[in-house]
Amino acid sequence: MKFTVPGKWILVGEHAVVRGAPAIVAPLSSRSLILEESTELEASPLQTALEKIAETLPGLSEKFSRLKVSSDIPVQAGLGSSAALSVAVARYLEAHDFLPNEEILAKAQEFENIFHGSSSGLDLAAVSASGPIFFRRGEDPKPLTCAWTPKIYLHDSGTRSSTKECVEHVANQNRKDLDQLMAMAVDGARAALRLSEAEGISLLKDAILTAAKCFEEWGLMNAESAALTEKLYRAGALAVKPTGSGNGGFLLSLWENTPPEEFRGLPGF
Ligand code: PMV
């Protein structure tokens, strides 16, 4: 049996979502993680992460010593690799009758907390979804109504950061104004996606720029992200922001027309 789970990317709503604001997030269908039984295990950061999860499940260590994780989701990049691993392991437990179906998400959240501290659950909801969702902590995610498909691409800043540290950095600033601004970006993006492309694109651009401003104000734009942002704007991007916890990781860009190949990165949709 094979358990395949995609990555995820966040359109808008990071950080404020931890304190109850909504967010828009989508599965990253071009990248996925696979968990399967195998006798040929190779050392990797994800295999180590799986061992950490196994430590919380005494009695299953023999079964887990035969589980292999492979993935093309970049690790620690804000693209949901730990959420994908957590969901894959919870599904594996369910399939082998170690977990009731209705507890898959709660168990995956326990695993995710090993890596992220207390997360909003946004990543888990996204990697479990079949399309973009509107998410609010503690509520069932709602499928997002999209009347058009924005040209959105994801680009690697080449640097990595810890989600836990970024979340703490933002929480310590206690900037309620920025949480509110991020919530406005989410409202704007949601409305933009319900309109036609011609009517919605400038609203979506403004929403992404508003979210980008929050990242700047929180001090979560490192030099590499700032340089890549400049490069994307010079190539014609309409709006650019970090996707995920920031301070490195991946950036998201919105385009009016399909960008030149070298700026296509990973397609969001
Ligand atoms: O896992 P990341 O780096 O994509 O961050 C998830 C989004 C945050 O809002 C920063 C944290 C959370 O738990 O929602």
Side-chain angles (χ1 to χ4, degrees):
M1 229 185 287
K2 236 185 190 180
F3 300 85
T4 306
V5 185
K8 72 99 213 323
W9 61 278
I10 302 170
L11 178 59
V12 277
E14 294 94 336
H15 292 289
V17 70
V18 173
R19 288 168 290 281
I24 294 175
V25 63
L28 179 64
S29 44
S30 62
R31 296 291 171 113
S32 54
L33 174 144
I34 298 169
L35 183 71
E36 61 194 324
E37 280 173 6
S38 169
T39 47
E40 287 159 34
L41 306 186
E42 277 167 35
S44 72
L46 280 170
Q47 205 65 45
T48 308
L50 179 64
E51 282 163 21
K52 285 217 172 87
I53 292 178
E55 282 165 18
T56 69
L57 300 163
L60 295 180
S61 50
E62 209 194 306
K63 275 203 160 301
F64 272 74
S65 66
R66 279 182 271 114
L67 277 184
K68 175 177 146 192
V69 199
S70 45
S71 171
D72 61 1
I73 307 169
V75 176
Q76 274 214 321
L79 296 182
S81 72
S82 66
L85 176 64
S86 302
V87 168
V89 174
R91 285 187 187 158
Y92 169 87
L93 293 175
E94 192 267 348
H96 290 81
D97 293 331
F98 295 117
L99 188 72
N101 182 278
E102 59 278 13
E103 283 176 26
I104 290 181
L105 216 57
K107 191 47 111 181
Q109 177 89 61
E110 266 177 41
F111 298 151
E112 171 85 329
N113 288 349
I114 301 174
F115 309 109
H116 275 193
S118 174
S119 79
S120 67
L122 176 69
D123 290 13
L124 295 168
V127 304
S128 307
S130 52
I133 52 171
F134 179 84
F135 175 92
R136 201 189 280 270
R137 192 170 191 167
E139 292 179 11
D140 284 340
K142 295 183 186 65
L144 194 75
T145 311
C146 291
W148 56 291
T149 306
K151 293 178 187 69
I152 285 183
Y153 297 87
L154 311 171
H155 315 269
D156 194 352
S157 72
T159 55
R160 297 290 177 260
S161 70
S162 142
T163 298
K164 196 162 174 263
E165 279 169 25
C166 292
V167 167
E168 280 167 13
H169 172 76
V170 169
N172 288 340
Q173 295 174 50
N174 195 20
R175 292 281 305 267
K176 294 201 174 62
D177 57 328
L178 295 180
D179 281 0
Q180 258 166 30
L181 200 60
M182 188 56 103
M184 280 167 63
V186 175
D187 280 350
R190 193 186 200 191
L193 291 167
R194 286 182 170 159
L195 297 170
S196 66
E197 177 163 3
E199 290 168 315
I201 194 158
S202 68
L203 196 55
L204 184 60
K205 171 184 166 182
D206 289 347
I208 294 173
L209 292 176
T210 300
K213 168 108 178 110
C214 294
F215 277 94
E216 269 167 34
E217 292 274 317
W218 281 320
L220 288 176
M221 284 295 285
N222 66 4
E224 290 81 359
S225 301
L228 180 55
T229 299
E230 270 302 306
K231 209 167 143 194
L232 290 162
Y233 278 128
R234 275 203 302 274
L238 292 177
V240 181
K241 70 175 269 292
T243 181
S245 53
N247 206 22
F250 273 64
L251 301 181
L252 161 166
S253 63
L254 171 71
W255 301 74
E256 187 164 10
N257 300 307
T258 305
E261 207 170 335
E262 58 177 305
F263 294 106
R264 274 180 224 159
L266 295 175
F269 290 104

